[in-house]
Amino acid sequence: MNRWTGSALALVMLATASGTSPVAAQANRAQSISASDRQQGAQAHPQLLEQFGGGYEGRQAAYVTQVGRRIAVQSGLANSSSEFTITLLNSPVNNAFAIPGGYVYVTRQLMALMNDEAELASVLGHEVGHVAARHSSSRNRTSTIGAVLTGLLGVVTGNSQIAQIAGQAAQLYTLRFSRTQEYQADDLGIRYLAGAGYDPRAASTMLASLAAQTTLDARLAGRDARTAPEWGSTHPDPASRVARARQRADATRATAAARNRDAFLSAIDGMLYGDDPRQGIVDGNSFRHPDLRVMFTVPSGYTMTNGTRAVSVTGQGGQAQFSNAAYNGNLPVYVGNVFRDLAGDSGSIPTNSVRSTRVNGLPVAYATGRASTRSGQVDVTVYAYQFGPSTAYHFVMVTPAGRGIGPFQSMVQSVNRMTEQQAAAIQPRRVDVVTVGRGDTPASLAARMAYTDYKLERFLTLNALPANARLTPGQKVKLIVYER
Ligand SMILES: [Zn+2]
């Protein structure tokens, strides 16, 4: 099966329906994982994996699980560390989150930014802190979820697949915790660090790295730092938060000081960095999949999320999903099959007749149908492209009734084959941990970074080094290199 992965969408934490808890957030009070939390977490877990590139397997995952359990058990949410499910996500986005039920997540991209095990523990501890303080069940959050759910499409009834496409809008929303909640999570994370024997100042240094990365990302994108949709910027003002975390860490008077830098660096050596070409790449409004040789562009103002089975597109005017199905060479039949799958057990979706055209030389078949939702009727359009004798891809687009393809006209026209050259130009990058030699400088090491611009800035940010850093022979640093 093709894997479509690598979201460019940064989320702080995803919506899960845990609105049955009391409205008041009870900070600092850990409550054990309830049976209902456990059940909801188990239900959301596979969906989260699908939306964030799946789990990144191997020794890095085992290491994250071990560190995550050690810090999570400090929350008092469970007596046994084995009750926590810690996942390293195969995502090129800097992100971490946790959901009730003992599920904690961090992306490999964020892990690569860290410089030791205590920083990893600090991020996981912060996220567990949100869950322990039950921030996810506060009034603020519940009402926001409600607002998203009753948005354009509402909750679709009687049609699980369309409900799934429509429901992505609800799932993909970024939860913004209040500043108070962020500080509470910081404080809990710092407390957990000290309790687990880690240097509690790791929270502060991690936040500083995040702030530096956010600033660099903004420079790379030519944007103002405050608009960067990153883990760091959705949290309170980075500089004051760094200082505050440092003060709180000092106030713990903890004697624990474990950083475990060597163990951490040896764990991440060789880990994939940035986009995973085998799963397709989201870059702004464009999607490219070098293995499948397919690319397209979504309208501006629309957000793309690259899941393991489909690319989801969401925006004000509708939702779409790009994926594939079994193809026997007959495109109209393919379109009919997609509609039959969409209708599922609920019967059928009446459609107009299947029409044919060509887009960028590709044979195309498409049709539009009408489906009922709780908040009214919607148009459902299937647009299928033949890429080979037994290969086809398609969009499913859901728009308000009467709109048809609606805002997605340019998107359906943008689907094209990638040339061999375009596909070959996309190479995976990896983390390479190297030992500083005599005569090495930040500039000489940065020259080895697999980028054409901002090499030194990227190197300094990745290693949490100041601009005037002096390196010591024997010291270990991270580089980002092309796969050898
Ligand atoms: Zn947070």
Side-chain angles (χ1 to χ4, degrees), residues 12 126-127 130 177 181-182 185-186 231 235 241:
V12 172
H126 172 97
E127 297 305 334
H130 279 304
F177 290 115
Q181 289 175 328
E182 290 304 343
D186 281 351
W231 193 87
H235 287 63
R241 195 170 164 215

Side-chain angles (χ1 to χ4, degrees), residues 375-427:
S375 62
Q377 298 210 300
V378 293
D379 278 355
V380 181
T381 303
V382 174
Y383 218 91
Y385 307 79
Q386 178 184 292
F387 269 68
S390 58
T391 309
Y393 300 107
H394 67 272
F395 280 112
V396 174
M397 291 162 278
V398 181
T399 59
R403 295 292 310 280
I405 293 174
F408 297 119
Q409 193 62 47
S410 65
M411 181 180 79
V412 299
Q413 296 295 328
S414 72
V415 174
N416 206 345
R417 273 183 215 285
M418 290 182 77
T419 65
E420 202 169 323
Q421 209 172 11
Q422 285 169 327
I426 299 169
Q427 285 183 65

Side-chain angles (χ1 to χ4, degrees), residues 183-364:
Y183 285 155
Q184 283 172 353
D186 281 351
D187 293 352
L188 288 170
I190 288 163
R191 190 193 298 174
Y192 302 162
L193 280 173
Y198 288 113
D199 179 358
R201 289 169 300 182
S204 176
T205 55
M206 184 66 227
L207 289 167
S209 276
L210 271 165
Q213 183 67 50
T214 303
T215 305
L216 177 59
D217 286 347
R219 280 181 74 185
L220 293 171
R223 288 171 298 174
D224 181 272
R226 296 192 179 279
T227 64
E230 293 288 341
W231 193 87
S233 69
T234 53
H235 287 63
D237 171 49
S240 61
R241 195 170 164 215
V242 168
R244 186 183 175 283
R246 175 58 197 252
Q247 285 159 8
R248 294 294 162 119
D250 289 344
T252 63
R253 300 180 186 282
T255 48
R259 282 284 189 161
N260 297 353
R261 177 175 162 88
D262 286 347
F264 178 84
L265 291 178
S266 102
I268 64 164
D269 194 16
M271 186 171 68
L272 192 63
Y273 186 84
D275 292 307
D276 181 353
R278 286 170 308 168
Q279 307 195 339
I281 291 167
V282 172
D283 187 7
N285 286 341
S286 89
F287 177 79
R288 292 172 297 163
H289 199 307
D291 279 12
L292 304 178
R293 297 282 179 82
V294 56
M295 59 185 183
F296 61 84
T297 306
V298 304
S300 63
Y302 282 73
T303 310
M304 226 181 319
T305 304
N306 188 8
T308 53
R309 287 193 296 202
V311 183
S312 302
V313 183
T314 55
Q316 284 295 311
Q319 270 96 50
Q321 198 176 65
F322 186 80
S323 60
N324 64 343
Y327 183 52
N328 68 1
N330 187 326
L331 265 189
V333 166
Y334 180 96
V335 170
N337 288 342
V338 174
F339 271 110
R340 195 161 318 123
D341 275 358
L342 285 168
D345 298 334
S346 69
S348 64
I349 299 174
T351 70
N352 56 19
S353 56
V354 178
R355 278 173 280 180
S356 296
T357 184
R358 286 182 103 79
V359 168
N360 297 317
L362 300 163
V364 166

